[in-house]
Amino acid sequence: MTTHGGRRDQAERDAITVEIGYALFSAAFAAAVVFGAVAGPALLFDLQDTLSRVLLRTGLVLAPVLFAARVISVLVRFRQAPRPGDLDRTGRTPQPSQPGRTNPDS
Protein backbone atom coordinates (compact mmCIF):
# COMPACT_ATOMS: atom_id res chain seq x y z
CA MET A 1 0.00 0.00 0.00
CA THR A 2 1.08 3.53 -0.52
CA THR A 3 1.78 6.11 2.15
CA HIS A 4 -1.05 8.49 1.21
CA GLY A 5 -3.85 7.22 3.43
CA GLY A 6 -3.51 3.56 2.52
CA ARG A 7 -5.29 3.88 -0.82
CA ARG A 8 -3.96 2.34 -4.01
CA ASP A 9 -3.74 4.30 -7.21
CA GLN A 10 -5.00 3.00 -10.55
CA ALA A 11 -1.61 1.68 -11.67
CA GLU A 12 -1.29 -0.45 -8.52
CA ARG A 13 -4.82 -1.82 -8.94
CA ASP A 14 -4.11 -2.64 -12.59
CA ALA A 15 -0.86 -4.39 -11.66
CA ILE A 16 -2.66 -6.49 -9.04
CA THR A 17 -5.38 -7.41 -11.53
CA VAL A 18 -2.86 -8.46 -14.17
CA GLU A 19 -0.88 -10.49 -11.64
CA ILE A 20 -3.99 -12.31 -10.40
CA GLY A 21 -4.95 -13.12 -13.98
CA TYR A 22 -1.44 -14.40 -14.72
CA ALA A 23 -1.46 -16.51 -11.55
CA LEU A 24 -4.82 -18.10 -12.39
CA PHE A 25 -4.01 -18.72 -16.05
CA SER A 26 -0.55 -20.18 -15.45
CA ALA A 27 -1.87 -22.32 -12.58
CA ALA A 28 -4.72 -23.69 -14.71
CA PHE A 29 -2.30 -24.48 -17.53
CA ALA A 30 0.18 -26.22 -15.21
CA ALA A 31 -2.60 -28.21 -13.52
CA ALA A 32 -4.00 -29.31 -16.89
CA VAL A 33 -0.56 -30.40 -18.10
CA VAL A 34 0.08 -32.40 -14.93
CA PHE A 35 -3.38 -33.98 -15.03
CA GLY A 36 -2.89 -34.89 -18.68
CA ALA A 37 0.54 -36.36 -18.03
CA VAL A 38 -0.58 -38.43 -15.04
CA ALA A 39 -4.15 -39.40 -15.94
CA GLY A 40 -3.82 -39.22 -19.71
CA PRO A 41 -2.60 -42.76 -20.19
CA ALA A 42 -5.57 -44.08 -18.20
CA LEU A 43 -7.94 -42.13 -20.45
CA LEU A 44 -6.25 -43.01 -23.75
CA PHE A 45 -5.23 -46.63 -23.31
CA ASP A 46 -7.03 -49.74 -22.15
CA LEU A 47 -5.20 -50.32 -18.85
CA GLN A 48 -6.03 -52.58 -15.94
CA ASP A 49 -8.85 -51.22 -13.81
CA THR A 50 -6.65 -50.82 -10.73
CA LEU A 51 -3.91 -48.96 -12.58
CA SER A 52 -6.47 -46.81 -14.37
CA ARG A 53 -8.14 -45.81 -11.09
CA VAL A 54 -4.79 -45.07 -9.43
CA LEU A 55 -3.68 -42.83 -12.30
CA LEU A 56 -6.99 -40.96 -12.41
CA ARG A 57 -7.11 -40.40 -8.66
CA THR A 58 -3.46 -39.34 -8.58
CA GLY A 59 -4.15 -36.83 -11.35
CA LEU A 60 -7.27 -35.59 -9.56
CA VAL A 61 -5.24 -35.02 -6.38
CA LEU A 62 -2.13 -33.51 -7.98
CA ALA A 63 -3.87 -31.04 -10.30
CA PRO A 64 -5.67 -28.96 -7.62
CA VAL A 65 -2.67 -29.11 -5.30
CA LEU A 66 -0.42 -27.79 -8.08
CA PHE A 67 -3.03 -25.15 -8.99
CA ALA A 68 -3.15 -23.82 -5.44
CA ALA A 69 0.63 -23.93 -5.00
CA ARG A 70 1.19 -22.04 -8.27
CA VAL A 71 -1.36 -19.31 -7.47
CA ILE A 72 0.05 -18.83 -3.97
CA SER A 73 3.68 -18.75 -5.13
CA VAL A 74 3.00 -16.20 -7.89
CA LEU A 75 1.00 -13.89 -5.64
CA VAL A 76 3.47 -14.10 -2.73
CA ARG A 77 6.36 -13.34 -5.08
CA PHE A 78 4.42 -10.37 -6.49
CA ARG A 79 3.67 -9.06 -3.01
CA GLN A 80 7.35 -9.25 -1.98
CA ALA A 81 8.70 -7.53 -5.09
CA PRO A 82 9.99 -3.99 -4.45
CA ARG A 83 7.83 -1.21 -5.85
CA PRO A 84 8.94 2.16 -7.18
CA GLY A 85 9.06 4.53 -4.23
CA ASP A 86 9.70 1.79 -1.64
CA LEU A 87 12.57 2.43 0.75
CA ASP A 88 15.39 0.01 1.52
CA ARG A 89 16.77 -0.74 5.00
CA THR A 90 18.75 2.49 5.07
CA GLY A 91 15.67 4.60 4.35
CA ARG A 92 16.70 5.42 0.77
CA THR A 93 15.12 4.47 -2.53
CA PRO A 94 17.13 1.51 -3.88
CA GLN A 95 19.24 2.16 -6.96
CA PRO A 96 18.65 -0.05 -9.99
CA SER A 97 21.39 -2.56 -10.67
CA GLN A 98 23.88 -1.29 -13.20
CA PRO A 99 26.72 -3.81 -13.59
CA GLY A 100 30.04 -2.20 -14.38
CA ARG A 101 29.00 1.27 -13.29
CA THR A 102 29.68 3.03 -10.04
CA ASN A 103 26.98 4.06 -7.63
CA PRO A 104 25.93 7.67 -8.35
CA ASP A 105 25.96 8.40 -4.59
CA SER A 106 29.62 7.46 -4.18
Side-chain angles (χ1 to χ4, degrees), residues 47-102:
L47 302 175
Q48 295 176 357
D49 287 339
T50 306
L51 181 59
S52 180
R53 273 189 258 128
V54 167
L55 288 175
L56 282 172
R57 288 182 181 159
T58 303
L60 287 172
V61 168
L62 285 178
V65 169
L66 177 66
F67 181 86
R70 177 68 181 159
V71 168
I72 291 167
S73 69
V74 168
L75 295 179
V76 166
R77 200 172 346 136
F78 174 73
R79 186 176 184 188
Q80 292 174 349
R83 310 267 189 281
D86 286 350
L87 303 178
D88 64 4
R89 291 185 310 221
T90 62
R92 294 182 294 175
T93 304
Q95 295 289 324
S97 175
Q98 298 175 353
R101 302 180 97 185
T102 59

